[in-house]
């Protein structure tokens, strides 16, 4: 099973604030057992609870991704982008947010952060490889998202409407509306996504 690298940072920030797991659970509206398993690295997180945890800790979502802080621009060269997602390159895995045990242990989304070290940023740009997953539960969080499809076919459930996007298509939406982004077929998809969450 894949180990998540975010759990240790959740624990560090929780302990810095002298919060118990139960206190963080109440503040983030996440089950205590979920938090324990995330901190232990036993679960691959889905994005919606991670946003709630970040808000409860008083930090940006990107803080979980930061490595070496930079105050100036963060530049990603083409050769680096081509390597993203390969072994040895920093990637972040998220589950498909399904309710089943197996879905919480599989990474349906492989995020390659494009600005992980930019200090005081308000947007989170990612290259995301989306693997086909059969469960598509809706989630909601504050903020906005922009998605540009680079390859494959994407299906977006947004409220009661479903949108199909092909390579070259894009969508911008309010994240407070229940939504789910997933590959439309077994070929998967690759997207550029920019997520904004108010801090």
């Amino acid at each position: 099973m894949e180990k998540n690298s975010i759990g240790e940072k959740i624990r560090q920030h929780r302990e810095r604030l002298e919060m118990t797991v139960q206190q963080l659970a109440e503040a983030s509206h996440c089950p205590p057992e979920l938090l324990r398993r995330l901190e232990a690295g036993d679960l691959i997180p889905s994005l919606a609870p991670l946003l709630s945890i970040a808000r409860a800790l008083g930090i940006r979502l990107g803080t979980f991704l930061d490595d070496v802080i930079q105050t100036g621009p963060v530049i990603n060269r083409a050769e680096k982008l081509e390597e993203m997602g390969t072994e040895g390159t920093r990637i972040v895995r998220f589950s498909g947010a399904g309710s089943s045990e197996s879905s919480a242990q599989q990474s349906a989304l492989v995020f390659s952060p494009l600005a992980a070290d930019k200090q005081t940023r308000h947007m989170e740009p990612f290259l995301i490889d989306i693997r086909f997953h059969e469960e598509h539960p809706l989630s909601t969080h504050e903020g906005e998202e922009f998605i540009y499809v680079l390859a494959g076919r994407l299906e977006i459930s947004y409220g009661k409407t479903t949108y199909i996007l092909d390579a070259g298509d894009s969508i911008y939406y309010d994240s407070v509306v229940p939504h789910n982004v997933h590959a439309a077929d077994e070929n998967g998809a690759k997207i550029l996504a920019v997520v904004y969450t108010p801090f």
Side-chain angles (χ1 to χ4, degrees):
M1 186 182 89
E2 298 161 276
K3 284 281 186 181
N4 95 70
S5 59
I6 294 174
E8 179 63 19
K9 290 188 177 182
I10 293 174
R11 185 189 61 76
Q12 289 172 354
H13 285 284
R14 177 179 60 75
E15 291 179 349
R16 175 182 56 82
L17 295 172
E18 298 182 352
M19 293 177 77
T20 65
V21 170
Q22 184 62 40
Q23 288 171 327
L24 179 56
E26 291 170 6
S28 65
H29 306 289
C30 293
E33 184 58 24
L34 172 70
L35 293 173
R36 288 187 190 94
R37 296 187 68 194
L38 283 175
E39 289 190 3
D42 293 337
L43 288 181
I44 298 169
S46 60
L47 192 54
L50 203 57
L51 287 165
S52 298
I53 293 167
R55 181 170 289 277
L57 292 171
I59 59 177
R60 295 176 292 103
L61 169 66
T63 304
F64 295 134
L65 311 175
D66 291 345
D67 201 2
V68 179
I69 297 298
Q70 297 183 35
T71 55
V74 173
I75 297 172
N76 293 293
R77 299 292 182 190
E79 58 270 16
K80 178 182 175 185
L81 296 179
E82 290 174 6
E83 295 172 359
M84 282 192 166
T86 61
E87 190 139 351
T89 303
R90 178 173 57 191
I91 60 175
V92 182
R93 300 180 189 278
F94 291 103
S95 76
S99 57
S100 71
E101 179 73 13
S102 62
S103 69
Q105 294 179 347
Q106 298 171 0
S107 54
L109 308 173
V110 180
F111 282 57
S112 298
L114 299 177
D117 300 329
K118 176 70 175 87
Q119 192 174 32
T120 65
R121 64 189 181 274
H122 300 286
M123 300 180 294
E124 297 293 342
F126 299 98
L127 284 180
I128 306 175
D129 286 309
I130 303 178
R131 300 171 181 168
F132 183 72
H133 206 269
E134 293 184 355
E135 294 185 44
H136 308 133
L138 301 181
S139 64
T140 180
H141 55 86
E142 291 186 57
E144 302 168 355
E145 296 179 33
F146 170 79
I147 293 173
Y148 180 86
V149 183
L150 297 168
R153 174 168 271 206
L154 197 67
E155 184 172 282
I156 299 178
S157 302
Y158 186 76
K160 296 182 178 179
T161 307
T162 298
Y163 300 96
I164 300 292
L165 278 68
D166 291 306
D169 294 341
S170 67
I171 187 172
Y172 190 120
Y173 56 84
D174 293 317
S175 308
V176 71
V177 176
H179 61 280
N180 185 284
V181 177
H182 49 274
D185 56 47
E186 294 184 359
N187 294 321
K190 184 165 190 159
I191 64 174
L192 168 66
V194 180
V195 179
Y196 163 75
T197 52
F199 179 64

